[in-house]
Every structure is written in structure tokens, then in C-alpha cells.
Amino acid sequence: MSNQRPPLPPFTLETATQKVRLAEDGWNGRDPEKVSLAYTEDSVWRNRAEFLQGRPAIIAFLQRKWARELDYRLIKELWAFRDSRIAVRFAYEWHDDSGSWFRSYGNENWEFDESGLMRRRIASINDAPIKAGERRFHWPAGRRPDDHPGLSDLGF
């Protein structure tokens, strides 16, 4: 099947960890159209208090998000998995157009179809103001380097 997005469910520790890193890499690329391809055509989301359905809504949401959340850097970490579901925790750093920095913390619950596309994403997120000197995510825009510490390594 050409629409497959490996790794596929049912997940193992290894494949769930891979799926989480692939999602992190995609979001750090900040390309809404490309990111949307990891989700089913009719994917259902809850992001904070916003409810979305379908790729066009996902693309519009991500365009708004990354226009507001500048210099975005994200780290995701596997929390739990079973069958076609994965739970992650994450943190990301960003600043607004006035230069105020934030670290956003959250949890996501994911459900995948048999092709490895995410059909449901439920995200709970809190923003904490930080000073620029408190930032911990300092890699160049794009994929987090393999040698950069993860959330647990950073004490989050």
C-alpha cells in the first residue's frame, strides 16, 4: 500500500520510539503541508481547547501556530504505547513577535490506523514564560541533533 507511513501498528517499544521521533522531526521542520501527510484525511484533533478535523484544518492550524510561535524547537518523548496507540510527553520553546520566550509543556494521545497514519490526536498543553537565558533547546532550525539531550536528560 503506497499510503503507508511506517512504522505500523501494532507498536513495539522500538517502533513506538521511532514513531515519536519521526513526529518530532516532522514538527521541527515546520512545514504544515508535509506534517499533515502523517495524518488521515479525516484525522480528528483536540489541541488545547481547539477542535479540528481533516488535513485542510490541520494545515491551517499549523500555519497559524508557526506564524505566532517563532523559533520553535520541540522535543517529544515516548510515555506509553499499546497496539495502535501511543502517548507522548513533550516540551517546546518559542518566542512571540515581541521577543517574549515561552516553554510549552504537554501530553498527547495518538491513535493510528493500520497504514500508520494518525487518525486521532488529543493534546493538552501549558505555556510557561521563560527568560531567554533559561532556554535549553539551542540547535539550528530543523531536526534536533541526535546528540542533543532529550526531555528526561534535561530534567523535564
Side-chain angles (χ1 to χ4, degrees), residues 1-19:
M1 182 180 241
S2 64
N3 291 355
Q4 286 192 337
R5 191 81 173 209
L8 308 176
F11 297 110
T12 64
L13 176 59
E14 180 182 353
T15 61
T17 301
Q18 286 176 322
K19 199 71 157 176

Side-chain angles (χ1 to χ4, degrees), residues 75 136-137 148-156:
I75 300 176
R136 305 289 295 277
F137 305 171
H148 190 283
L151 292 180
S152 293
D153 299 324
L154 290 167
F156 294 131

Side-chain angles (χ1 to χ4, degrees), residues 4-142:
Q4 286 192 337
R5 191 81 173 209
L8 308 176
F11 297 110
T12 64
L13 176 59
E14 180 182 353
T15 61
T17 301
Q18 286 176 322
K19 199 71 157 176
V20 171
R21 182 58 193 245
L22 289 167
E24 175 188 315
D25 293 349
W27 281 61
N28 276 327
R30 293 177 293 187
D31 180 336
E33 290 81 12
K34 187 174 179 183
V35 170
S36 76
L37 297 176
Y39 302 91
T40 61
E41 293 279 347
D42 61 349
S43 186
V44 175
W45 284 25
R46 180 183 58 76
N47 194 88
R48 301 175 192 253
E50 189 170 351
F51 295 82
L52 312 169
Q53 184 167 3
R55 284 187 186 159
I58 291 168
I59 291 167
F61 168 83
L62 293 173
Q63 288 169 335
R64 287 190 316 272
K65 173 184 179 61
W66 291 321
R68 179 178 163 271
E69 296 177 355
L70 307 174
D71 290 320
Y72 176 94
R73 304 286 187 283
L74 165 72
I75 300 176
K76 291 184 181 284
E77 185 173 282
L78 178 66
W79 185 253
F81 69 94
R82 182 173 179 185
D83 301 324
S84 64
R85 294 181 174 171
I86 295 176
V88 300
R89 63 190 200 96
F90 62 87
Y92 61 90
E93 294 179 348
W94 58 280
H95 67 85
D96 62 17
D97 59 3
S98 70
S100 297
W101 280 92
F102 299 87
R103 185 175 301 120
S104 299
Y105 300 94
N107 300 291
E108 292 176 320
N109 297 312
W110 301 342
E111 183 178 43
F112 295 86
D113 71 5
E114 61 282 348
S115 299
L117 295 172
M118 195 182 301
R119 66 175 151 218
R120 182 178 314 270
R121 176 183 173 267
I122 302 168
S124 299
I125 307 165
N126 298 296
D127 302 321
I130 60 172
K131 295 180 172 112
E134 296 173 321
R135 293 179 52 225
R136 305 289 295 277
F137 305 171
H138 293 286
W139 65 88

